[in-house]
């Protein structure tokens, strides 16, 4: 569904062709300086609430943009069976305040993000 990796001073998130339909983008590049925090999510689907544009299969998958009642805009690519990360951003980067991503290597990426943003 997605791939995320660190490239120099940037977090690069690539979406699969079918996920692009709902995220409206193929790649999101976030400068590491714009990341204010990252946290592991055992249940990433629960972190995306509010109004949305995208794909919602209740209890299984959420892909797209979710906007909470307090105005926080989240780019979401989450699955029920894959751990996730919540990545908080300063201001709006690529039009979003947070990223919620399900990644098989979520723990590894969290360690690398923590090391370079601390």
């Amino acid at each position: 569904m997605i791939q995320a990796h660190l490239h120099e001073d940037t977090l690069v998130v690539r979406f699969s062709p079918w996920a692009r339909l709902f995220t409206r983008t193929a790649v999101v590049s976030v400068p590491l300086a714009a990341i204010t925090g990252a946290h592991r999510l055992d249940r990433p689907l629960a972190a995306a609430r509010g109004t949305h544009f995208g794909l919602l299969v209740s209890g299984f998958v959420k892909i797209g943009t979710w906007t909470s009642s307090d105005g926080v805009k989240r780019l979401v690519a989450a699955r029920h069976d894959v751990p996730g990360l919540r990545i908080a951003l300063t201001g709006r980067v690529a039009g979003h305040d947070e990223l919620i991503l399900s990644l098989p290597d979520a723990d590894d990426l969290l360690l690398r993000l923590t090391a370079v943003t601390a």
Side-chain angles (χ1 to χ4, degrees), residues 16-25 53:
S16 65
W18 70 271
R20 294 174 192 171
L21 297 171
F22 306 106
T23 61
R24 299 181 187 177
T25 187
F53 169 86

Side-chain angles (χ1 to χ4, degrees), residues 2 12 25 27-28 32 35-36 44 48 51 76 83 92-93 95 108 110:
I2 62 171
V12 179
T25 187
V27 178
V28 172
L32 295 179
I35 297 174
T36 60
T51 60
V76 179
R92 285 219 166 140
V93 177
D108 182 49
L110 178 59

Side-chain angles (χ1 to χ4, degrees), residues 27-79:
V27 178
V28 172
S29 297
V30 177
L32 295 179
I35 297 174
T36 60
H39 305 282
R40 188 181 197 282
L41 299 171
D42 292 324
R43 297 179 25 196
L45 292 177
R49 296 186 178 155
T51 60
H52 69 277
F53 169 86
L55 175 67
L56 166 61
V57 179
S58 188
F60 290 98
V61 68
K62 291 181 178 179
I63 304 171
T65 300
W66 265 253
T67 305
S68 65
S69 59
D70 60 354
V72 176
K73 199 170 180 182
R74 295 175 177 92
L75 180 61
V76 179
R79 294 176 41 168

